[in-house]
Amino acid sequence: MERIALVGLLVVALCVLLCDCGEIDVNLLHEISERNATAADIINSSLSELVEEFRATSPAPPPPPPTTTPAVNDQELLIPPATVNANIAQMHNPPKKRGPIVISSEPDCPSLENADELSQTQLLKTLTHGCRYDRLERPVHYGENNTRLPVDVYARAYIYFIQNLEAHDLQFKIHALLQLRYVDPRLVFREVAPNRRESIMGEASLRQSLWVPHVFLANERSSSILGTAEKDILTSISPDGTVIVSTRIQAQLYCWMNLQKFPFDEQHCQTVLESWMYNTSELVLHWEQKSPVTLAPELHLTEYVLLNMWTNETMINADLSDLRHGAFAGNYSSLTFTIHLAREMGFYLMDYFIPSMMIVAISWVSFWLQADQSAPRIMLGTSTMLTFITLASAQGKTLPKVSYIKASEVWFLACTGFIFGSLVEFAFVNTIWRRKKNVELKKVNSKYILKSTLTPRPTRKEIGGNLQKSHSCSSLDAQSITTAAPSYNNYLTVHSFSNNKNTLPVITTQSCDDLTQENGTVINVEPDSTSTLQGNNATPPGQPQNTGWTTMTPQEISMWIDRRSRFLFPCAFIVFNIFYWSFVYCL
């Protein structure tokens, strides 16, 4: 009891001290004293009952020695000593106002009375006070049967700038204004401030005091909010609780390009907005009905032309294997707007296709040079090949390394094939030019010429019967025909004649292979000359001649192949261009 009295004295002293300081009035102290007295009476009665029960069940203790207790004046203490054991802190009562002073662990909610007289900042603080507003909790809308409805968030985008697609990085860059609109019933001030018709406007600080839906770019590589001194964020609250948050952003977005028809390709690049935290049962994204996406009038692309643009609203299903929304599974609302771009061809025509056509045409100049001029023809062929490879490699550095064949690579392979073909043609005719043997042809056409040059020397015995080769190389001197070992060189035989100019014969130069001997008779198989018959078995003048074989020198064959190449290569290149340009534009 002495301890109880001591604590009571301390409480009384504290109350007196507070009264002296002017912070608590006397009426309040009397009220506290009355409550403590009631609590003390209850405690004393309980203690008395417990003591009586204890005495009844336990033996009587020896009488204590007499002691003297100083008397305590209850009027001086104001509070009975027994009230000290009462846990006053655990007695939670609603706070009551006693003049301007409020005794409570938390301040009361500020009143919305006379809200028309409050400033914009005061009204905002009143609306977003902790007793009315929790920025961590989304706005709640109720439908029929008192069911919770998801928040409808409407989006609109204004595109300031679109950078050209970077094919090697598969990305593009945009500058845009992203606007989100939703209704928060907790921020309605139309009824409490009927005379205030203007919206509450603010920037980043106002946005930080509100609940704002978290929407992210699903296909972004990097993004940031534009701004110099402060971030470009504009927030407005209408009297009906409509909240509009506008943010200027720049973002680098991935665009999964299809380069099979490069540089005649058309690309579809998307910008995907998705809800980050709330699934479709809590939040649903919508595009605005009017002008959901708008392009700036001065927007212009240098390498592409904008063909079309459209928007779409979808739902993304995320599970535990797809952590694009953190660790939460469910269906998430998604907004997409797609731009359809077509690549401009002017740059590639002037810097790649037309120069490559000219390089291929330059390689055909070697067909007008003689086959034995090896130095200029080799230099021309190799220089055009290296130049075209350099041109193609410079263009290909801007493209990603993909596994499929692109249209530009088809053009590169074809042009390389034509240039390489001109080099192969030179090597072929130069090899034929350096031969020393004449070529026997059954007919002067492409089939027999190519066959005679590509295959070994034809066995004339198998084709022409029993005709034997003659070794006389003059059409005038039949006596020079011998049966010695065959010689395949060209000879020129000149005979002396009389001074009669009218009787001068025509001297012909032939290979020893042009004449054959059958049964001792020399036969000239030159189709354009008259057969010379000697011996007993000569063919009479009235009988048909044994013709069908022609002899061409290697030089004549080389020049014949060059003449055909001058026509064949350009025609083949034209045919290839017809098929190529039809494919890239019509298919």
Side-chain angles (χ1 to χ4, degrees), residues 89 100 116 155 195 303 407 432 459 465 473 486 491 554:
D116 290 329
N195 297 330
E303 189 177 350
I432 297 175
T459 57
C473 301
Y491 298 95

Side-chain angles (χ1 to χ4, degrees), residues 118-129 133 187 200-202 205-207 209-210 237:
L118 299 178
S119 64
Q120 179 172 290
T121 303
Q122 292 174 344
L123 179 59
L124 178 63
K125 289 183 178 179
T126 304
L127 292 174
T128 58
H129 194 272
Y133 191 88
L187 300 177
I200 300 177
M201 305 290 292
S205 58
L206 176 57
R207 182 181 184 275
S209 62
L210 303 178
I237 304 175

